């Protein structure tokens, strides 16, 4: 069966059909997926009833896998699988609770942020728990020329602690980072606009989750500019909202999208996901 691609929204996202993710894809298929990822930002593969080994094996075709800095959220026996879950067993969460409930691009706080992530839906409430994706090419391309020029000349600082200070403060399931975890994630600077290595298109590269400020600017100047950029990037016409079905696998590109996990569901209902994270390059 040949691979076909169907767009999911005007903003971004496409469904990929004709691939059995349990089989090792041909090199040409891998190239096709890489290209489609850069083009559409988000790729949906339906009906992926796969186990962690199959998830890992498929993901590895797109690059080396990263283990998350918080080792506690790894699937036992599979450090490459980051568990995103609200399920508590005993008194221990089975994964990262409240993960991604703010706009962010995975691992932008690392010197070499993640290329992309593959999130597999294992359990989902009937209503709610969608994930939104924002097209950061569109965000950049629709800025005014003076603002484009400004952001293209500047760097911004990204810090993992920012999410903890801003979104997780006071949540017992997400205690502050330990000194060791902080030492692994010192603040880093990245260009505010990055060039996608596959499409060569430019994308805005700042996100509310991890971007603390524009480098070399006082907060009173930096904060209002970042707020304008965050509001602009998440305009509804740039956003695709995915309603999950169990066994959906979504591969998103962290270089040209950011995402947001909606916390609009009944937390007594299980939402349980497995994520692999592909290593990436230094933004330029
Ligand atoms: C994440 O940010 O990796 C989690 C997204 C989600 O659970 O929808």
């Amino acid at each position: 069966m040949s691979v076909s691609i169907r767009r999911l929204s005007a903003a971004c996202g496409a469904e990929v059909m004709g691939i059995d993710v349990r089989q090792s894809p041909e090199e040409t298929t891998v190239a096709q997926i890489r290209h489609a990822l850069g083009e559409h930002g988000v790729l949906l593969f339906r009906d992926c009833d796969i186990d962690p080994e199959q998830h890992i094996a498929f993901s590895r075709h797109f690059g080396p896998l990263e283990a998350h800095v918080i080792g506690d959220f790894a699937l036992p026996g599979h450090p490459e699988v980051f568990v995103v879950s609200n399920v508590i067993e005993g008194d221990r969460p089975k994964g990262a609770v409240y993960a991604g409930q703010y706009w962010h691009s995975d691992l932008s706080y690392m010197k070499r942020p993640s290329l992309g992530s593959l999130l597999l839906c294992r359990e989902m409430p009937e209503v709610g728990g969608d994930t939104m994706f924002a097209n950061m090419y569109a965000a950049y391309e629709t800025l005014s020329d003076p603002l484009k020029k400004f952001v293209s000349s500047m760097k911004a600082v990204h810090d993992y602690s920012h999410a903890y200070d801003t979104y997780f403060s006071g949540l017992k399931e997400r205690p502050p980072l330990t000194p060791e975890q902080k030492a692994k994630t010192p603040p880093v600077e990245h260009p505010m606009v990055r060039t996608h290595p596959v499409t060569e298109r430019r994308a805005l590269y700042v996100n509310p989750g991890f971007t603390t400020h524009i480098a070399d600017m006082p907060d009173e100047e930096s904060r209002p500019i970042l707020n304008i950029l965050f509001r602009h990037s998440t305009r509804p016409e740039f956003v695709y909202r995915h309603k999950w079905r169990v066994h959906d696998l979504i591969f998103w590109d962290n270089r040209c999208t950011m995402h947001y996990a909606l916390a609009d569901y009944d937390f007594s209902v299980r939402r349980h996901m497995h994520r692999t994270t592909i290593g990436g390059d230094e933004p330029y």
Side-chain angles (χ1 to χ4, degrees):
M1 191 173 171
S2 65
V3 176
S4 62
I5 295 201
R6 180 182 72 90
R7 286 180 68 192
L8 290 167
S9 81
C12 58
E15 180 179 352
V16 181
M17 290 161 295
I19 288 184
D20 179 352
V21 300
R22 289 166 301 190
Q23 311 292 332
S24 187
E26 306 267 328
E27 253 331 291
T28 50
T29 306
V30 171
Q32 214 175 342
I33 295 173
R34 276 182 200 282
H35 183 79
L37 181 71
E39 181 123 319
H40 299 284
V42 175
L43 298 179
L44 166 66
F45 302 83
R46 291 274 196 207
D47 304 316
C48 299
D49 186 2
I50 50 175
D51 61 26
E53 282 83 16
Q54 290 167 321
H55 185 183
I56 291 168
F58 182 66
S59 305
R60 281 215 169 105
H61 290 287
F62 305 99
L65 302 191
E66 307 250 11
H68 197 265
V69 62
I70 313 272
D72 297 356
F73 302 144
L75 185 69
H78 295 288
E80 310 89 337
V81 177
F82 175 66
V83 181
V84 175
S85 181
N86 66 352
V87 178
I88 313 272
E89 271 182 5
D91 57 357
R92 201 178 172 278
K94 280 190 83 172
V97 189
Y98 311 116
Q101 295 180 352
Y102 44 83
W103 284 107
H104 67 288
S105 169
D106 292 332
L107 277 65
S108 75
Y109 49 82
M110 301 300 279
K111 203 168 153 44
R112 295 162 68 90
S114 157
L115 175 155
S117 310
L118 291 99
L119 188 66
L120 176 66
C121 177
R122 302 192 77 90
E123 292 178 81
M124 185 54 58
E126 210 160 288
V127 175
D130 299 354
T131 305
M132 298 190 293
F133 298 91
N135 180 336
M136 300 303 275
Y137 295 133
Y140 172 71
E141 286 161 7
T142 53
L143 290 174
S144 65
D145 286 340
L147 196 45
K148 260 189 200 150
K149 201 164 160 193
F150 171 78
V151 291
S152 300
S153 67
M154 300 300 282
K155 290 188 168 188
V157 178
H158 299 242
D159 187 345
Y160 190 34
S161 290
H162 183 64
Y164 279 75
D165 299 341
T166 313
Y167 304 99
F168 301 146
S169 147
L171 296 173
K172 69 173 179 348
E173 297 88 352
R174 300 301 298 261
L177 294 174
T178 63
E180 293 73 36
Q181 288 162 344
K182 277 195 178 185
K184 283 195 216 159
T185 55
V188 294
E189 278 185 16
H190 294 306
M192 291 179 72
V193 177
R194 67 182 294 183
T195 304
H196 195 288
V198 175
T199 61
E200 294 184 353
R201 287 174 70 188
R202 312 192 80 204
L204 192 60
Y205 195 62
V206 285
N207 65 81
F210 306 129
T211 310
T212 56
H213 60 283
I214 300 174
D216 307 320
M217 267 196 156
D219 199 52
E220 71 167 7
E221 291 176 6
S222 159
R223 181 50 42 196
I225 299 171
L226 283 179
N227 286 343
I228 289 170
L229 296 174
F230 296 157
R231 207 167 47 241
H232 173 77
S233 324
T234 54
R235 275 164 49 172
E237 61 269 38
F238 303 152
V239 173
Y240 166 62
R241 176 169 172 160
H242 185 68
K243 167 143 190 59
W244 292 94
R245 286 191 212 157
V246 170
H247 299 147
D248 279 353
L249 175 69
I250 286 206
F251 186 4
W252 65 75
D253 191 323
N254 285 307
R255 301 163 296 186
C256 60
T257 63
M258 54 179 187
H259 57 284
Y260 184 118
L262 278 137
D264 58 349
Y265 54 97
D266 173 355
F267 257 54
S268 66
V269 181
R270 295 161 71 104
R271 184 181 189 276
H272 191 70
M273 323 282 273
H274 281 179
R275 190 184 94 190
T276 52
T277 313
I278 317 274
D281 301 322
E282 254 183 72
Y284 60 91

